Amino acid sequence: DDVPRLPPLRFGAEVGLGGQHWNTALRYTRAEAQTHPGNGETETAGYHLLGASADYHWRGAEPLDVWLFAKANNLLNQEIRSSVSFLRNFAPEPGRSVVIGFRASF
């Protein structure tokens, strides 16, 4: 029999640019459909996942280090049902989202 909650083939790429005080990244992941889910499990469709991030490191208030960041997830707003999730039949992964914030350390 097939193994339950076995993840299907996934592949992807990430491109990033950065400097001394900033970084950006764009990440793409393709997951194939899980058509052999195991006994008592449901099949899951394949999906495309696109995310982006950017951050800036501001050192203007010594000894305080401040990072400003923005992250965007699931930019294609795909319905993603992970084959390894116990809740895949009830709730998909989150849709498109954006997080903007800062963190500080001293």
Side-chain angles (χ1 to χ4, degrees), residues 18-101:
Q20 186 175 6
H21 298 286
W22 59 276
N23 291 298
T24 60
L26 184 66
R27 177 182 291 178
Y28 169 78
T29 304
R30 167 66 183 156
E32 298 296 327
Q34 176 53 285
T35 56
H36 303 286
N39 291 337
E41 301 288 332
T42 56
E43 295 184 356
T44 56
Y47 60 85
H48 301 272
L49 182 60
L50 184 64
S53 65
D55 59 61
Y56 179 77
H57 188 190
W58 180 57
R59 294 184 179 121
E62 292 292 333
L64 190 64
D65 275 344
V66 177
W67 286 90
L68 306 170
F69 63 88
K71 296 179 183 179
N73 296 310
N74 196 2
L75 289 170
L76 302 174
N77 205 28
Q78 295 269 292
E79 182 175 304
I80 297 172
R81 296 192 182 261
S82 176
S83 65
V84 298
S85 172
F86 288 102
L87 301 176
R88 70 177 172 264
N89 295 327
F90 307 104
E93 299 293 320
R96 185 180 300 127
S97 66
V98 176
V99 175
I100 299 172

